[in-house]
Amino acid sequence: MKLRELLYNIIDVTFDIEIKGVTCNPKRVKEGYLFVCISKEHEKCISDIKTSAIIANFMVHDSRIYILHPNPQEIYSKIVSRFYQFKQPKYAAAVTGTNGKTSVIEFCCQIWQNAGYNAASIGTLGMYTNNERKANHNSLTTPDADDFYATLCDINSKGIEYLALEASSHGIDQYRIHGLELTAAAFTNLSQDHLDYHQNISKYFKAKKRLFHEVLSKEKTVILNANTDKYYALLKIAKKRGNKVITYGEKSSNITLIKQVPALNGQYLTIRISNEVYNVFFPVFGQFQACNLMCAIGIAISSGLDYKKMCIDKLISPPGRMEKVKPFVFVDYAHTPSALKQAILSLKWHFNKKIVLVFGCGGNRDQAKRAEMGKIAQMYAEKVIITNDNPRDENPTEIRRDILLHCPDAVEVEDRKEAIEKGIDISYNKGMILLIAGKGHERFQIINGQALEFSDVEVVRNYAS
């Protein structure tokens, strides 16, 4: 595509060079690409970026074409959608946070679809639209930029107008979603995860914050969890940028959880939205899921949907998220210390029974989590079986040992299938609840670089206790 054609009605230029790609990520620039400088950090390295044309809010005197614009971020999504030939959705919300992203976007999609909207979600579980799911084959929570743009083209062909997507810290840091014109951005919570990539919790949160000051445009909508200690930092960013703010939580928020009562098939909630109080049955397991639901309600409200049309009592759990496989067996994706604790306590809250826990930790990932998850298992579960998760290229024996050092009462069973079957037998014979944590919806296990077919859910279904 010619540069003049690409920027028509966006920036008035006369340059007629051929553009082979568009990016704001300096690591993805190739010969013939247009680089759009949307980050102040990239101003320092602009001379090292090998490209023919650059859009920026400053000039450097060299042989490349520089196109001045006061706010390149403002026009980036328009340029990207024109080059990759997709239409921006009518409404798009991105959700970030350590835990809960998948549940929030899945609840959003279900709420919209139940209200008659043509909606989709994109995240860890792949793309979900019109009651059909296109699996995620690359294991990325947020697709890489090229796959993401291809997915947006696919969404266009289906007439999707409402979109909710997961924005992982990796996805934000690597500029995978910067080409999407967001209507809203939401934050769930922050706890230890991905420190193998971000090095420390401060840098991890810094990546998350970029969704609100770098990806989301000014004067759009921000949905914030008022219960998290990061609330005020994000609220400050939102106010500075003139964003509309919707808050949710257990104290005086726009969406407030007043009462929560467990049931054997879900939970009863009393929620206040503005000045109206609603009593509703929420047919989903997990005490923490009420918080994810309120985030989804905030997103749906920001899209213009009235709460009375949301059909909360028709929602279902996403695959691998507190998924009830047998009356006493649950599979959950909990792979962080915080998520594991919440999953165990939630099952106790629902059933008032002792917990058998089967779990492991992933290889080539944040090793500090292993000790913390071991301590949580030792403290909150009555019977623990340590097994393999996705060891990847690490020695699985050493991973299990790292956990066992902090969970000395646990039983070690290397083979995950055998561990699950042992957990089923114990929980069935002793009237306990079994939680199988860590892999959730996954249909493979990565060992020595090989992805082998494996599903926690299928192991449970195929085992006759």
Side-chain angles (χ1 to χ4, degrees), residues 173-211:
D173 189 56
Q174 295 168 13
Y175 301 92
R176 297 179 198 165
I177 64 167
H178 284 62
L180 181 65
E181 190 175 316
L182 292 177
T183 320
F187 183 79
T188 57
N189 50 65
L190 191 86
S191 62
Q192 182 179 332
D193 201 12
H194 302 307
L195 300 192
D196 53 306
Y197 180 88
H198 296 288
Q199 299 178 325
N200 59 56
I201 199 79
S202 177
K203 290 181 179 179
Y204 177 41
F205 182 50
K206 184 179 179 181
K208 298 282 189 188
K209 284 194 295 185
R210 286 172 57 189
L211 177 65

Side-chain angles (χ1 to χ4, degrees), residues 9-43:
N9 276 348
I10 300 174
I11 306 176
D12 187 20
V13 298
T14 56
F15 303 110
D16 223 18
I17 63 169
E18 189 72 25
I19 297 297
K20 298 178 180 177
V22 179
T23 187
C24 64
N25 183 354
K27 294 180 180 179
R28 292 183 66 91
V29 173
K30 298 177 182 177
E31 186 178 345
Y33 269 46
L34 169 65
F35 176 70
V36 184
C37 185
I38 66 170
S39 172
K40 288 185 178 180
E41 293 179 6
H42 297 155
E43 293 179 15

Side-chain angles (χ1 to χ4, degrees), residues 125-271:
L125 299 179
M127 183 177 77
Y128 179 70
T129 178
N130 299 327
N131 297 317
E132 294 181 2
R133 191 176 300 281
K134 187 176 180 181
N136 183 349
H137 296 295
N138 58 19
S139 301
L140 297 176
T141 297
T142 306
D144 67 34
D146 289 339
D147 287 345
F148 183 55
Y149 300 148
T151 301
L152 291 175
C153 290
D154 190 15
I155 281 174
N156 286 165
S157 69
K158 291 176 167 55
I160 300 299
E161 292 189 313
Y162 293 82
L163 172 67
L165 72 144
E166 295 183 55
S168 68
S169 57
H170 292 70
I172 298 167
D173 189 56
Q174 295 168 13
Y175 301 92
R176 297 179 198 165
I177 64 167
H178 284 62
L180 181 65
E181 190 175 316
L182 292 177
T183 320
F187 183 79
T188 57
N189 50 65
L190 191 86
S191 62
Q192 182 179 332
D193 201 12
H194 302 307
L195 300 192
D196 53 306
Y197 180 88
H198 296 288
Q199 299 178 325
N200 59 56
I201 199 79
S202 177
K203 290 181 179 179
Y204 177 41
F205 182 50
K206 184 179 179 181
K208 298 282 189 188
K209 284 194 295 185
R210 286 172 57 189
L211 177 65
F212 300 92
H213 67 76
E214 188 175 283
V215 186
L216 183 70
S217 298
K218 293 179 179 179
E219 301 178 355
K220 299 294 185 179
T221 302
V222 170
I223 297 96
L224 299 177
N225 183 350
N227 293 342
T228 175
D229 61 355
K230 303 303 180 185
Y231 168 68
Y232 290 104
L234 295 173
L235 182 64
K236 184 178 178 181
I237 293 171
K239 286 185 174 180
K240 185 178 179 181
R241 294 173 61 79
N243 297 123
K244 177 185 177 183
V245 178
I246 297 175
T247 61
Y248 66 95
E250 294 177 358
K251 296 179 181 177
S252 50
S253 303
N254 299 121
I255 305 165
T256 306
L257 181 62
I258 298 173
K259 190 177 181 181
Q260 186 177 17
V261 179
L264 296 179
N265 57 345
Q267 50 196 293
Y268 293 92
L269 307 178
T270 301
I271 300 174

Side-chain angles (χ1 to χ4, degrees), residues 12 24 48 65 69 85-86 123 132 161 166 211 215 223-224 250 263-264 272 308 325 336 363 367 392 444 447:
D12 187 20
C24 64
D48 299 324
I65 294 171
H69 191 277
Q85 298 183 330
F86 64 85
E132 294 181 2
E161 292 189 313
E166 295 183 55
L211 177 65
V215 186
I223 297 96
L224 299 177
E250 294 177 358
L264 296 179
R272 184 175 62 239
K308 295 171 184 175
V325 188
T336 68
Q367 295 186 7
R392 298 182 175 85
F444 54 84
I447 302 175

Side-chain angles (χ1 to χ4, degrees), residues 339-372:
L340 184 64
K341 179 181 176 181
Q342 292 299 320
I344 297 170
L345 292 179
S346 285
L347 289 176
K348 290 189 173 187
W349 180 70
H350 278 286
F351 300 102
N352 194 27
K353 289 186 176 183
K354 294 180 178 180
I355 304 299
V356 179
L357 172 64
V358 174
F359 86 107
C361 288
N364 304 121
R365 296 293 186 268
D366 179 8
Q367 295 186 7
K369 289 195 299 185
R370 298 170 189 174
E372 294 305 311

